[in-house]
Amino acid sequence: MTQQGVRWTAEQVLALAPDDASRKAGSRLGTAGPWSESGCDGSGAVWGLCKGSGSRPYRTVLDTSGPAYQCSCPSRKFPCKHAVGLLLLWSADEQSVPDGTAPDWAEQWLAGRRARAHQTPPGPTGAAAKPVDAEAARRRAEKRAERITAGTTELEQRLADLLRGGLAAAEHPGYGLWDETAARMVDAQAPGLAARVRELGAIPGSGPGWPARLLEECALLHLLDRAWLGRDTLPEPLTATVRSRVGVPAAPQGPPVRDHWQVLAQYDTADAKLTTRRVWLYGRDSGRSALILDFGAAGRAPALALPVGLTIDAEVTPYPGGGQSRAALGERYGTPTATEGPPPGGTATEAAERYGRALLEDPWLASCPATLDAVIPIPPKDGDDTWQLADAHAELGLPIATATPSRAALWKLAAVSGGARVTVFGECGHRGFTPLTVWPAGGREGVALT
């Protein structure tokens, strides 16, 4: 334990690694052998010299309150294997990484971080903020809205042609039809519509029952088109939601909420162009849930990394829109601390009802956060491939979504349970429940399933 914070677990450290290769390489460096002059202090700083192939050791320094990393090695991965190895050593061996005073080379980087943290950002690009031309911004917004309106009108016609010709015809063209339509939506500056159109292309080959799933998604896309075309008649929160779903960028709004935010889950999704990191937080005092998004180029991990099991004292500012969980992470205070167990949970019925209420504010919401208390994971039986979370409070259960990160995660969930009740945090939606973190009965530390 540090003076102000807590030493992480090995699982929390490995969750920060950008890929499997970095996890394996970092694990090999997580012993005292290659390290010298290692130490840490109560502010969350960790430093050390790692012997490499050259004559000079690599200088590695970390700020666990960020977390942030600096290493003199030439690796372009972030964090590099040396940072992962040093964190593993720090988490497991207090004698090898004792409390102390940072050397000059480490203190120089740490002092620079502290100085930047106390500076007021001059603008989004780091340069002096330029006066905003409100009239020019208004004209750009109007021009974009006109393009999106033209795009939604064209998309409505294409959906009508699809339904008129019969859904069976969608099985033959492959992705070409959908990619061309998605490109038209990109030209219309509606990336949200483009993403939904691309998802339609994967449905015809998704197995039995695909026509019903395709019809469902087409109906939601039609609803979004009509909502955009009639946005002037909608309540303001729903209008903000429609703009967000279409892909119009928006800034966080409203006063920031300072709280002790518990990190419940962190996982990445990727496509050909972008890696998206999702971090779920729970406000211990406010009882609010917040979804923090961060992005990285394809093949590279996003910069933001918050290991499951920590609590941060920070400000969070919500984004506009009805039923919106997304928020922006603002200023953080002090050093992360250990959590004191899972957040308050409920039954499977309550989770499903909460998702139903959320759909009233955002009909396109795929899922919402939920913590299930006293559930038991049930593996598939009699040839069925569907897992379930059985509610110990009643004869009810939730099917586990087929999009769950991996089958190995489900067996990890079953192993933690051992047939007993557990608390599970995840996302509850129309496809089922996606478990992300599990706590054994009476346990204080969560086990990440991603």
Side-chain angles (χ1 to χ4, degrees):
M1 186 88 56
T2 63
Q3 295 173 5
Q4 297 180 19
V6 61
R7 298 206 182 206
W8 302 348
T9 65
E11 191 171 43
Q12 290 170 339
V13 173
L14 293 175
L16 303 178
D19 50 41
D20 288 337
S22 297
R23 292 186 186 93
K24 294 177 181 178
S27 297
R28 290 193 292 268
L29 294 175
T31 61
W35 294 96
S36 61
E37 300 183 28
S38 303
C40 63
D41 64 23
S43 70
V46 185
W47 60 85
L49 301 177
C50 185
K51 183 179 180 180
S53 57
S55 58
R56 294 184 178 182
Y58 295 122
R59 294 177 171 181
T60 307
V61 56
L62 319 165
D63 181 359
T64 59
S65 66
Y69 326 89
Q70 173 68 31
C71 185
S72 60
C73 75
S75 174
R76 298 181 65 183
K77 294 184 178 181
F78 190 82
C80 66
K81 63 181 181 181
H82 306 100
V84 174
L86 180 56
L87 279 174
L88 287 172
L89 181 64
W90 167 75
S91 69
D93 191 346
E94 293 190 22
Q95 294 183 347
S96 296
V97 189
D99 289 340
T101 302
D104 292 342
W105 58 268
E107 180 58 34
Q108 183 177 2
W109 180 78
L110 293 167
R113 275 187 53 80
R114 288 192 292 268
R116 289 190 296 272
H118 286 86
Q119 290 177 354
T120 301
T125 62
K130 297 181 179 179
V132 177
D133 188 336
E135 180 60 24
R138 185 188 63 80
R139 289 197 299 268
R140 287 194 298 270
E142 288 181 351
K143 188 172 294 186
R144 178 170 189 165
E146 291 173 359
R147 293 194 184 102
I148 295 175
T149 297
T152 55
T153 303
E154 178 182 347
L155 182 56
E156 280 290 275
Q157 183 60 52
R158 294 193 178 212
L159 289 175
D161 292 343
L162 172 64
L163 297 178
R164 189 178 298 111
L167 291 179
E171 191 173 13
H172 306 296
Y175 280 93
L177 170 66
W178 309 107
D179 285 343
E180 191 271 336
T181 304
R184 295 288 295 164
M185 296 304 103
V186 172
D187 292 342
Q189 294 185 289
L193 292 178
R196 286 184 170 271
V197 169
R198 290 192 189 97
E199 291 173 359
L200 295 181
I203 296 178
S206 61
W210 69 263
R213 292 192 293 274
L214 181 59
L215 184 60
E216 290 173 1
E217 295 303 322
C218 286
L220 286 173
L221 195 53
H222 168 67
L223 180 64
L224 184 55
D225 286 345
R226 302 309 303 176
W228 172 265
L229 295 174
R231 63 191 182 280
D232 293 339
T233 64
L234 300 177
E236 178 54 36
L238 185 55
T239 301
T241 298
V242 171
R243 292 173 60 86
S244 173
R245 293 298 181 188
V246 167
V248 178
Q253 294 181 4
V257 179
R258 182 175 177 180
D259 203 339
H260 293 88
W261 297 94
Q262 180 178 350
V263 183
L264 297 182
Q266 172 183 289
Y267 67 98
D268 295 348
T269 56
D271 57 27
K273 297 181 179 180
L274 197 66
T275 299
T276 302
R277 173 161 293 168
R278 291 170 168 82
V279 181
W280 279 108
L281 305 178
Y282 173 78
R284 194 170 65 196
D285 303 322
S286 64
R288 300 178 60 165
S289 297
L291 175 62
I292 310 298
L293 299 183
D294 197 22
F295 304 93
R300 300 195 66 178
L304 178 66
L306 295 173
V308 174
L310 296 184
T311 297
I312 57 174
D313 181 4
E315 292 181 346
V316 161
T317 305
Y319 278 79
Q324 180 66 257
S325 294
R326 188 186 175 190
L329 184 61
E331 185 174 356
R332 283 178 263 181
Y333 306 89
T335 303
T337 59
T339 59
E340 301 177 355
T347 65
T349 300
E350 290 169 343
E353 290 176 346
R354 179 182 179 185
Y355 176 59
R357 291 192 298 270
L359 287 176
L360 295 176
E361 301 181 78
D362 183 356
W364 306 276
L365 185 66
S367 62
C368 68
T371 301
L372 303 181
D373 184 34
V375 292
I376 302 173
I378 306 297
K381 296 180 180 179
D382 301 328
D384 186 12
D385 61 353
T386 302
W387 287 67
Q388 292 197 28
L389 288 173
D391 194 331
H393 297 297
E395 295 181 359
L396 297 173
L398 286 176
I400 293 181
T402 56
T404 293
S406 70
R407 306 303 288 183
L410 295 178
W411 288 110
K412 182 190 288 189
L413 172 62
V416 173
S417 167
R421 301 177 181 184
V422 291
T423 299
V424 181
F425 170 79
E427 297 170 348
C428 183
H430 63 100
R431 300 297 184 196
F433 189 90
T434 302
L436 300 174
T437 306
V438 57
W439 291 262
R444 296 168 61 90
E445 293 187 4
V447 178
L449 301 175
T450 56

